[in-house]
Amino acid sequence: MRRHVIEMVHAAGSGHPGGSLSSADIVTALFFEVMEHSPELESSQDRDHFILSKGHAAPVYYAALAESGYFPVEELITLRQLHSRLQGHPSRVKTPGVEMSTGSLGQGLSVANGLALALRSQGLGRTVYCLCGDGEMAEGQVWEAAMFASHYHLDNVIAIVDRNGLQIDGRTEDVMALEPLGDKWRAFGWNVLFMDGNDMWQVLETLEEARRHKGSPTVIIARTVKGKGVSFMENNVGFHGKAPNDKEYEQAMRELGGSA
Amino acid sequence: MESQRKNYGKALVELGRTRKDVVVLDADLSGSTRTAEFGKTFPDRFFNCGIAEQNMMGTAAGLAVGGMTVFASTFAVFATGRAYDQVRQSIAYPDLDVKIVASHAGITVGGDGASHQTMEDIALMNAIPNMTVIVPADGPETYRAVLAVAEARGPAYIRMGRSDVPIITSKDDVFSIGKASTLREGNDVALVGVGQMVAPCLLAAEGLKAKGINARVINLSTIKPLDVETLEKAARDCGCVVTAEEHNIVSGVGTMVAAALAERYPTPMERVAMQDVFGQSGESDELMREYGLSEKEVIAAAIKVTERRK
């Protein structure tokens, strides 16, 4: 998954490697272990659902969709090219498997709530997973949605905050402090869980615990490392939205156990 | 006189009975937008979002992703202004089946003043790809328009006023999205009215008749897609056109009509609209007079434009 991200962003010459790498373990767990989904089930509501609220992590989302069979893996390197189905940010109308167009931050959780209501009204015991960035917690709409989900007892919504601690202009706590983030969600009526979002066993266990929780929505605050897996990208805000050059690309692929 | 909102509420209940996939959202204005009746009748399919319009639009989008046809209502100033980005990003771009039906548009809001009097909403919604934009002229047409957008897939915006308006359409009329209706024949000038300005256009046509000017009156209830055929025919038959709208003159319906005619059949025009100023508190009819949105101004514009007629 991480090698796909590096290859796509390098081929495109632009994109957001940092937030894709930090959330790669979470997305992998969801698409290949936790969620029941498949290209054949795409037109059915009776499956689990995923909304990528942090739309700039599109590369890791596309990698998961391609590896799940929604479109050919070879298509990944067309990211951001003219007429490609893989837009810079996810588009419901362009890409097979993408449930919702996102990119303008702070909007995904509202959509997840609406979808969860629709599933509930159709009597489907399915879950909507919503992956959010930590920087986007500054958007007011996130908290409108947080209030809504607990008011309507949407226990079929699981929000995951990719808490990598960095946003474009620097550390989240310097740009717009979020802590105590868990207390904020708790005050909004959510069941709050924490995990190391780069530890696959913890990710799987916590997602299972969240799924079992009933009566209120659950948020998982996932501590992650931005740029995880590539030494020079880790905790480096410079790689929030920048592609590696050829030399960096070769090193990144080597570190990820692949060949450039 | 009849309320457009009341007809909206009635249409929603009707839809709720025939369509199990119709859900309704409101943002703490269900009494005013008249979605409350649907909420009482179908409590499982009505969700009050509180005073949080941005979240309401996103939630509407999610319900549509989940296969529902969604009606989302609040005042027009909030639906199109406060939640513009959500409408653009979460509803129109993904082309979802969400109908934004907003009330209290224009200056006829009255006493609440300029903060609540949107005159930019048509411009905002019209500029978004995939969006259908409808401004019914009266209560019965509102009812028909609501049923029509429910049948058509994709995002739509319906603009309603607060105040009661005269009934000028017939209950036997069929509402067809994208089709303007000609309410009165005439070949000296075409009066193209939008929403609450259609009735003043009809009155103006009577006034003009006394002056020997035979006016055609068109109810342009769909702004997008624009019925350019009907407009071009009116321009060719009449040789001059007046548009009348309770909306800003900048990027208003007059602008769109002028642009369409400029490409097809350039025709002298006058535009009756808000003159790029904010409104103020007052009674609806006082405000319409104050800002030059009555039959008087339509008549003056018609006389002026016939002098420049081809």
Side-chain angles (χ1 to χ4, degrees):
Chain A
M1 292 284 281
R2 289 192 161 93
R3 285 199 297 269
H4 279 320
V5 169
I6 296 299
E7 276 181 329
M8 291 164 80
V9 175
H10 176 253
S14 70
H16 299 79
S20 275
L21 294 173
S22 63
S23 58
D25 304 289
I26 297 163
V27 173
T28 301
L30 286 171
F31 275 79
F32 303 104
E33 187 67 30
V34 177
M35 294 198 303
E36 189 184 331
H37 75 105
S38 73
E40 294 71 40
L41 287 174
E42 196 184 348
S43 58
S44 160
Q45 298 297 339
D46 193 6
R47 58 182 168 87
D48 292 317
H49 298 261
F50 177 76
I51 305 290
L52 182 68
S53 191
K54 50 174 291 182
H56 54 281
V60 74
Y61 187 16
Y62 295 153
L65 289 171
E67 289 290 354
S68 301
Y70 289 88
F71 53 83
V73 171
E74 296 71 43
E75 201 172 327
L76 287 174
I77 53 163
T78 67
L79 173 72
R80 289 179 171 240
Q81 286 175 15
L82 187 63
H83 303 310
S84 168
R85 294 196 289 182
L86 308 183
Q87 297 293 296
H89 292 83
S91 168
R92 172 180 167 82
V93 289
K94 301 233 188 233
T95 314
V98 167
E99 287 217 68
M100 185 57 186
S101 310
T102 51
S104 180
L105 291 171
Q107 303 196 20
L109 189 56
S110 301
V111 177
N113 289 344
L115 182 49
L117 275 178
L119 296 173
R120 190 164 79 182
S121 76
Q122 291 163 63
L124 300 172
R126 296 298 188 168
T127 304
V128 184
Y129 297 90
C130 181
L131 180 60
C132 307
D134 53 358
E136 75 170 318
M137 296 293 112
E139 292 280 7
Q141 188 185 349
V142 171
W143 302 100
E144 294 181 5
M147 223 185 288
F148 184 96
S150 68
H151 180 80
Y152 285 105
H153 310 290
L154 295 176
D155 55 14
N156 53 346
V157 170
I158 296 175
I160 304 149
V161 181
D162 181 10
R163 186 77 176 102
N164 60 40
L166 292 173
Q167 59 190 110
I168 296 179
D169 274 351
R171 296 176 58 241
T172 59
E173 298 314 283
D174 294 334
V175 177
M176 185 52 62
L178 299 172
E179 294 300 339
L181 188 57
D183 290 350
K184 288 188 171 80
W185 284 98
R186 229 172 267 119
F188 277 75
W190 285 59
N191 173 43
V192 182
L193 303 175
F194 293 88
M195 69 180 181
D196 178 338
N198 295 130
D199 176 332
M200 185 55 80
W201 289 114
Q202 267 198 48
V203 171
L204 291 170
E205 274 171 25
T206 315
L207 284 168
E208 174 59 20
E209 187 183 346
R211 213 177 49 76
R212 280 200 311 266
H213 176 80
K214 295 294 165 212
S216 62
T218 292
V219 60
I220 303 170
I221 298 174
R223 287 180 309 280
T224 61
V225 173
K226 195 151 190 165
K228 176 75 180 176
V230 178
S231 60
F232 58 91
M233 289 187 179
E234 286 192 3
N235 286 317
N236 180 356
V237 76
F239 279 100
H240 168 91
K242 192 181 82 173
N245 61 32
D246 290 347
K247 203 167 143 248
E248 290 164 339
Y249 164 69
E250 280 169 29
Q251 187 187 338
M253 290 301 281
R254 268 199 309 275
E255 288 186 20
L256 292 168
S259 53
Chain B
M1 301 286 273
E2 200 173 86
S3 148
Q4 294 184 306
R5 299 178 278 144
K6 204 178 89 188
N7 277 274
Y8 171 46
K10 214 168 70 179
L12 277 184
V13 173
E14 165 77 20
L15 275 172
R17 287 213 177 87
T18 55
R19 297 250 318 248
K20 298 284 172 244
D21 60 335
V22 167
V23 292
V24 178
L25 303 180
D26 206 298
D28 196 37
L29 289 167
S30 63
S32 295
T33 63
R34 305 297 173 96
T35 59
E37 192 59 32
F38 182 96
K40 259 184 267 161
T41 319
F42 308 103
D44 295 344
R45 287 188 276 149
F46 175 80
F47 304 100
N48 202 324
C49 298
I51 309 167
E53 296 80 11
Q54 302 168 48
N55 179 54
M56 176 174 74
M57 295 304 177
T59 306
L63 280 156
V65 169
M68 316 300 258
T69 292
V70 190
F71 283 80
S73 291
T74 177
F75 287 177
V77 68
F78 308 131
T80 65
R82 182 64 175 251
Y84 177 81
D85 191 53
Q86 286 72 18
V87 172
R88 180 190 187 277
Q89 310 276 6
S90 287
I91 294 173
Y93 177 39
D95 200 16
L96 291 167
D97 205 20
V98 176
K99 323 299 180 185
I100 300 155
V101 185
S103 71
H104 293 61
I107 55 165
T108 46
V109 167
D112 280 349
S115 61
H116 285 53
Q117 296 163 340
T118 179
M119 43 166 193
E120 319 91 75
D121 58 320
I122 296 174
L124 286 167
M125 293 298 104
N126 213 54
I128 307 178
N130 292 340
M131 185 65 75
T132 294
V133 180
I134 293 173
V135 187
D138 65 8
E141 191 174 47
T142 304
Y143 181 86
R144 293 191 295 273
V146 170
L147 298 185
V149 296
E151 287 307 310
R153 235 209 55 78
Y157 173 64
I158 297 184
R159 175 196 228 223
M160 305 185 291
R162 179 186 70 91
S163 43
D164 289 358
V165 287
I167 297 174
I168 52 172
T169 64
S170 144
K171 70 173 182 355
D172 300 326
D173 288 351
V174 176
F175 189 89
S176 153
I177 296 169
K179 198 86 199 83
S181 50
T182 303
L183 301 181
R184 189 181 192 282
E185 291 295 346
N187 287 323
D188 295 333
V189 59
L191 308 179
V192 178
V194 178
Q196 310 220 4
M197 287 306 291
V198 179
C201 284
L202 283 168
L203 292 173
E206 287 304 312
L208 287 165
K209 193 176 160 195
K211 298 180 196 300
I213 297 171
N214 203 4
R216 176 176 306 191
V217 178
I218 292 169
N219 171 17
L220 191 63
S221 45
T222 307
I223 311 304
K224 190 174 163 188
L226 195 65
D227 185 354
V228 283
E229 280 75 30
T230 298
L231 292 169
E232 182 185 341
K233 183 166 188 308
R236 286 183 185 275
D237 293 349
C238 303
C240 59
V241 172
V242 173
T243 57
E245 60 193 303
E246 187 196 355
H247 186 275
N248 200 3
I249 193 160
V250 176
S251 298
V253 179
T255 315
M256 294 155 201
V257 172
L261 291 181
E263 285 174 350
R264 292 183 156 235
Y265 190 75
T267 307
M269 274 186 69
E270 289 289 327
R271 294 174 294 158
V272 175
M274 286 287 282
Q275 298 299 311
D276 203 21
V277 290
F278 284 106
Q280 59 176 306
S281 293
E283 294 294 334
S284 298
D285 51 347
E286 287 175 346
L287 289 165
M288 292 295 263
R289 282 196 300 276
E290 177 72 19
Y291 291 98
L293 301 174
S294 71
E295 76 213 60
K296 197 178 99 193
E297 287 79 15
V298 177
I299 290 172
I303 291 170
K304 198 169 156 198
V305 81
T306 47
E307 286 160 10
R308 296 197 285 131
R309 190 167 182 259
K310 285 191 183 175

